[in-house]
């Protein structure tokens, strides 16, 4: 596999590249995609870059029935001097394999797939938008393809990588979002698939999200699946609280996704000398701190969301307005620092960016 050549077939009909100022999240896709197949006994094989196109699958393919699938999300940026940078791509490759392990999907060769991803980006690099708040979102994913209705791990898989020029994930952009604290539904429990990046976790979240949207909220904040007391994460991001000068975020407990941005924020805060801890946090504690006037900022972190300030929480009808519904100074500083590192506009003291040469 390591030395297998990636065969490239170029598109004959290049699409029109959308105007960067009108980009939504995840609605349009570049000219090419990467594909690689797996079959038991042969392993991962036939890596190829082909024109972006629909794929054909047997209706009995196991992905449709039992959801054995994993995905990743990372971004590419173009610097002012036309260099293409990826942000901590090795972390995504590593996590893809952790998710594979949980979903009984055969591991990938991380270095090989990262290399394939770079080849694909090089080919479609004119699609990388450059105006503030935009980037090229990269979505590697693996689906089970064996036509079989028995509940078992599939014997065949397909890995694909698609690219999408994106604007901000939330329509609010960097402006604070309103979040509904979910009491009825749960997303994951320890021992389940919460820490894997797999479709089922997101499918399970839709009902609560739909209901919260009807009430005017962007997403829900999940509490633990057992006591519905401890804070876990938001639909598409991890969550941080700045209380009385100190920053806290829920500790990884097996049901929370280990976000790459979460990890980067923790490292940055430590670097700046701002106290930060990962621990169990109850929703009661947050409301109590707010009643005492101590909650300074709340923000979410994620590849798609970057840093997304939270302006309001609603828990059982009790609304908590944070920082007068305005973006806090720390959220803004984190957003600026991370996006500047990603865009190559600020020094990168942690060597997080990787150039696509
Ligand atoms: C990401 O932040 O990259 C995600 O995968 C979250 C979401 C878009 C599902």
């Amino acid at each position: 596999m390591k030395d297998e050549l990636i065969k490239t077939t170029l598109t004959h009909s290049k699409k029109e590249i959308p105007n960067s100022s009108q980009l939504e999240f995840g609605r349009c896709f570049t000219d090419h995609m990467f594909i690689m197949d797996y079959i038991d006994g042969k392993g991962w094989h036939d890596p190829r870059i082909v024109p972006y196109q629909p794929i054909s699958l047997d209706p009995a393919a196991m992905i449709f029935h039992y959801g054995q699938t994993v995905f990743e999300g990372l971004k590419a940026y173009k610097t002012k001097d036309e260099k293409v940078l990826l942000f901590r791509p090795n972390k995504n490759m590593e996590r893809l394999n952790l998710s594979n392990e949980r979903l009984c999907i055969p591991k990938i060769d991380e270095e090989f797939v990262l290399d394939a991803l770079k080849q694909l980006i090089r080919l479609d690099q004119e699609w990388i938008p450059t105006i503030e708040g935009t980037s090229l979102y990269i979505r590697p994913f693996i689906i089970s393809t064996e036509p079989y209705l028995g509940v078992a791990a599939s014997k065949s898989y397909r890995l694909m990588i698609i690219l999408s020029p994106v604007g901000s994930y939330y329509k609010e952009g960097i402006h604070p979002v309103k979040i509904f604290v979910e009491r009825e539904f749960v997303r994951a429990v320890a021992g389940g698939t919460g820490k894997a990046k797999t479709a089922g976790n997101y499918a399970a979240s839709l009902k609560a999200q739909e209901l919260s949207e009807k009430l005017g909220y962007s997403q829900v904040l999940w509490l633990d699946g057992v006591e519905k007391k401890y804070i876990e994460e938001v639909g598409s991001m991890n969550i941080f609280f700045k209380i009385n000068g100190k920053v806290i975020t829920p500790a990884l407990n097996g049901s929370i996704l280990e976000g790459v941005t979460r990890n980067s924020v923790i490292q940055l805060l430590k670097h700046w000398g701002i106290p930060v801890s990962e621990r169990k946090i109850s929703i009661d504690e947050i409301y109590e701190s707010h009643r005492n006037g101590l909650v300074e900022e709340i923000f979410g972190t994620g590849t798609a969301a970057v840093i997304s300030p939270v302006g309001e929480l609603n828990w059982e009808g009790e609304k908590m307005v944070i920082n007068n519904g305005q973006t806090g100074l720390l959220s803004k500083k984190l957003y600026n620092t991370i996006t500047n590192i990603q865009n190559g506009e600020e020094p990168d003291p942690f060597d997080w960016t990787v150039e696509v040469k």
Side-chain angles (χ1 to χ4, degrees):
M1 167 87 275
K2 240 188 172 51
D3 301 320
E4 206 168 332
L5 220 62
I6 298 176
K7 192 174 158 227
T8 299
T9 310
L10 297 179
T11 181
H12 291 305
S13 50
K14 282 194 161 199
K15 295 183 274 195
E16 196 179 322
I17 298 178
N19 185 329
S20 300
S21 62
Q22 277 154 21
L23 288 173
E24 287 180 60
F25 182 87
R27 295 264 181 213
C28 70
F29 302 92
T30 66
D31 283 324
H32 299 91
M33 63 197 277
F34 173 77
I35 305 186
M36 175 166 82
D37 292 311
Y38 177 95
I39 190 150
D40 264 10
K42 188 167 180 186
W44 287 108
H45 62 276
D46 197 12
R48 57 212 188 266
I49 289 174
V50 296
Y52 187 94
Q53 60 193 283
I55 56 166
S56 140
L57 285 176
D58 193 300
M62 295 175 85
I63 175 61
F64 296 132
H65 305 277
Y66 309 121
Q68 193 194 6
T69 177
V70 294
F71 72 95
E72 268 306 320
L74 63 159
K75 284 175 171 173
Y77 307 81
K78 203 174 263 174
T79 66
K80 288 215 166 76
D81 49 357
E82 300 277 306
K83 281 187 194 149
V84 176
L85 300 180
L86 297 171
F87 186 70
R88 311 190 73 185
N90 305 66
K91 295 287 274 179
N92 296 91
M93 293 299 117
E94 222 174 83
R95 192 173 60 185
L96 188 57
N97 264 339
L98 288 175
S99 302
N100 280 342
E101 160 71 23
R102 181 63 184 83
L103 272 292
C104 299
I105 294 175
K107 297 256 175 85
I108 51 147
D109 178 330
E110 296 173 23
E111 223 175 288
F112 182 86
V113 174
L114 181 51
D115 217 59
L117 187 153
K118 288 180 183 167
Q119 282 195 38
L120 178 66
I121 291 172
R122 229 174 279 132
L123 190 61
D124 280 350
Q125 61 173 287
E126 59 189 338
W127 286 79
I128 306 175
T130 49
I131 67 169
E132 205 197 321
T134 63
S135 57
L136 185 72
Y137 187 78
I138 305 159
R139 172 54 61 86
F141 62 109
I142 302 174
I143 55 170
S144 45
T145 53
E146 186 189 356
Y148 176 50
L149 295 185
V151 177
S154 175
K155 291 187 170 57
S156 60
Y157 300 87
R158 176 165 285 189
L159 179 152
M160 285 169 274
I161 305 176
I162 55 174
L163 309 175
S164 173
V166 296
S168 63
Y169 186 70
Y170 295 108
K171 65 174 180 359
E172 289 88 341
I174 173 71
H175 302 296
V177 291
K178 290 164 66 179
I179 303 279
F180 190 81
V181 183
E182 181 55 41
R183 274 305 298 251
E184 187 185 351
F185 301 103
V186 298
R187 172 187 173 273
V189 289
T193 56
K195 73 173 182 188
K197 213 156 169 60
T198 183
N201 294 336
Y202 296 83
S205 76
L206 298 178
K207 186 78 188 165
Q209 172 156 336
E210 223 174 68
L211 292 172
S212 72
E213 275 168 10
K214 283 198 182 119
L215 298 172
Y217 292 83
S218 299
Q219 291 213 340
V220 304
L221 173 61
W222 297 106
L223 301 180
D224 73 277
V226 180
E227 294 178 78
K228 294 189 185 146
K229 183 172 172 191
Y230 296 99
I231 294 171
E232 299 242 307
E233 63 177 82
V234 179
S236 61
M237 49 191 196
N238 296 111
I239 186 106
F240 286 74
F241 303 86
K242 180 166 179 255
I243 299 179
N244 202 18
K246 297 190 174 120
V247 179
I248 52 175
T249 190
L252 301 173
N253 59 359
S255 55
I256 295 175
L257 188 81
E258 182 173 4
V260 177
T261 314
R262 174 187 183 278
N263 177 285
S264 310
V265 162
I266 293 172
Q267 282 195 55
L268 269 176
L269 292 173
K270 287 185 178 162
H271 184 64
W272 291 337
I274 296 174
V276 53
S277 54
E278 300 170 68
R279 64 171 172 83
K280 244 179 152 170
I281 306 165
S282 73
I283 186 71
D284 279 314
E285 173 187 342
I286 299 300
Y287 267 73
E288 189 55 32
S289 299
H290 186 255
R291 283 181 208 113
N292 293 329
L294 299 176
V295 177
E296 297 162 26
E297 293 184 42
I298 303 182
F299 55 90
T301 64
T303 297
V306 194
I307 302 293
S308 191
V310 177
E312 181 186 313
L313 285 185
N314 182 329
W315 180 44
E316 295 187 327
E318 190 180 342
K319 288 185 186 174
M320 178 201 286
V321 176
I322 304 114
N323 195 34
N324 292 320
Q326 303 298 310
T327 301
L329 287 179
L330 183 62
S331 308
K332 188 77 193 139
K333 183 173 171 182
L334 283 164
Y335 177 87
N336 288 341
T337 306
I338 289 183
T339 53
N340 284 342
I341 291 176
Q342 290 170 332
N343 286 316
E345 277 170 29
E346 244 184 66
D348 174 11
F350 306 97
D351 275 335
W352 280 338
T353 53
V354 171
E355 189 178 346
V356 178
K357 287 189 183 142

